[in-house]
Amino acid sequence: NNIRVEGAKIIAKAIATSGYAIQLNLNDHEIGDAGMNAFRIAIDNLDELLLSTNKIEGNFKSFIEALGNSKKCPKVTIVPKEPSKEEEKEVYRGSGLSENFRYLMKSNTESKVILASNHRGLFVLSLSNNHINKEGYQLLAAALQKSTPIISLELSETNVKGNCEEIKIILMNSTSLSKIDLSNNELEDCDIAAIFRSNDSKSPDIFTEETRLSQINLSRNLIQDKGCISFIDSIKSLVLISAIDLSYNMIHFRGCNCLINFCRYKQSIKNINFVGNPY
């Protein structure tokens, strides 16, 4: 059945009174902004809230305020996921990559995020495939500046291209965010620079020692060599970076070579996905 606002309110009330940590998948419904706001009462009982494809646009201030007021803070451990034989074959098959680069590519899978069982709060928020407007991104940016417990933010196909400055604010100020998904947003080289580079030419790095970002998904965008090189240069200071997905972009030899050199000295890297590029 297609769940709308009233259904979302009933589910939120049940979760709020349950006393249990819940992983809730409500993808592919029509709860809209009002339905998302309904879950404000259940924030502390939600580990994951998946709301992809729900006609959400950005008028979810009540939800964000509750999220921003949450005092929960997760303890996070990143555990690399070993690729299967079939996954390894899929990464290397027909890629045309050099042997050195094949060695550097550990897998096309993502790392697992393991949370301590005694920590509660909303850790994973997926808003993919919703047309989030500027107001919505501003609300998200403001909330994540308050050290919310979100460690994974999924924004695939969510109008990121028109809201690069807000995404930059999220990356600059969140001390809990470990994983961000910006795939399928038609991001070009200029957008990558707008997101990952500071406006201050004397200090272009947007990340600090407190940044915990370890996984970045930029697959299925329009990134070329210039954008790839700019991106790699901007994440050099990330101490915990372990997984990068640049698959199905438009990256050629120069960008690929930059990525190879980055992986050679950045020992924290465990997973690279580069398939589908014209290198």
Side-chain angles (χ1 to χ4, degrees):
N1 294 328
N2 202 8
I3 298 173
R4 294 184 171 85
V5 177
E6 291 306 315
K9 290 179 179 179
I10 294 171
I11 295 171
K13 186 176 180 180
I15 293 173
T17 57
S18 69
Y20 297 101
I22 302 294
Q23 297 174 326
L24 180 61
N25 186 337
L26 280 182
N27 292 338
D28 300 303
H29 290 283
E30 296 181 4
I31 70 169
D33 293 334
M36 184 172 173
N37 282 328
F39 286 100
R40 68 187 182 277
I41 64 174
I43 289 291
D44 289 338
N45 284 351
L46 283 167
D47 277 357
E48 296 185 15
L49 182 56
L50 309 183
L51 299 177
S52 298
T53 319
N54 261 293
K55 297 186 176 181
I56 294 169
E57 296 183 354
N59 188 22
F60 41 71
K61 185 176 181 180
S62 297
F63 176 87
I64 293 297
E65 286 179 346
L67 181 63
N69 292 329
S70 174
K71 303 300 181 183
K72 308 296 183 182
C73 186
K75 180 179 180 181
V76 184
T77 304
I78 307 298
V79 181
K81 178 183 173 185
E82 293 298 325
S84 67
K85 295 293 184 181
E86 288 302 314
E87 287 171 335
E88 287 180 340
K89 290 179 182 178
E90 182 62 28
V91 174
Y92 303 144
R93 185 184 296 122
S95 61
L97 298 172
S98 67
E99 289 300 320
N100 284 337
F101 191 58
R102 292 186 185 202
Y103 173 76
L104 290 169
M105 288 178 66
K106 302 298 190 297
S107 76
N108 68 339
T109 57
E110 296 177 343
S111 298
K112 298 176 183 177
V113 178
I114 298 180
L115 306 173
S117 59
N118 60 336
H119 286 75
R120 295 176 60 191
L122 181 59
F123 300 129
V124 179
L125 177 62
S126 175
L127 295 174
S128 295
N129 199 26
N130 288 291
H131 193 76
I132 308 299
N133 58 29
K134 186 168 289 292
E135 179 186 2
Y137 275 112
Q138 289 172 344
L139 288 170
L140 283 172
L144 269 77
Q145 287 186 68
K146 297 181 179 181
S147 298
T148 68
I150 288 182
I151 64 168
S152 179
L153 184 60
E154 300 176 8
L155 298 172
S156 177
E157 203 171 349
T158 54
N159 193 34
V160 167
K161 186 176 178 66
N163 297 281
C164 293
E165 193 63 32
E166 285 69 35
I167 297 297
K168 179 190 293 183
I169 293 172
I170 289 173
L171 294 176
M172 287 177 64
N173 295 292
S174 174
T175 57
S176 63
L177 194 64
S178 173
K179 174 183 176 182
I180 190 162
D181 181 355
L182 301 176
S183 62
N184 284 288
N185 277 292
E186 300 184 352
L187 298 177
E188 300 178 72
D189 293 352
C190 58
D191 302 312
I192 296 301
I195 292 172
F196 290 97
R197 306 293 288 180
S198 168
N199 297 328
D200 184 356
S201 59
K202 295 181 179 179
S203 180
D205 195 347
I206 67 170
F207 301 112
T208 69
E209 293 180 355
E210 296 182 347
T211 304
R212 301 174 66 176
L213 198 62
S214 66
Q215 300 179 46
I216 304 174
N217 186 351
L218 291 171
S219 69
R220 299 184 185 278
N221 281 295
L222 302 173
I223 303 168
Q224 300 185 49
D225 283 348
K226 184 178 179 180
C228 178
I229 293 169
S230 175
F231 168 67
I232 294 301
D233 189 53
S234 69
I235 64 172
K236 287 180 178 178
S237 63
L238 289 176
V239 177
L240 299 177
I241 188 68
S242 64
I244 301 170
D245 192 341
L246 286 166
S247 60
Y248 298 100
N249 278 282
M250 303 167 65
I251 303 169
H252 290 261
F253 176 77
R254 288 177 57 241
C256 178
N257 192 51
C258 179
L259 185 57
I260 290 172
N261 291 332
F262 174 71
C263 292
R264 280 175 174 157
Y265 88 87
K266 199 69 170 179
Q267 296 183 357
S268 62
I269 292 291
K270 304 298 181 184
N271 303 309
I272 294 289
N273 190 353
F274 200 71
V275 299
N277 283 282
Y279 168 75

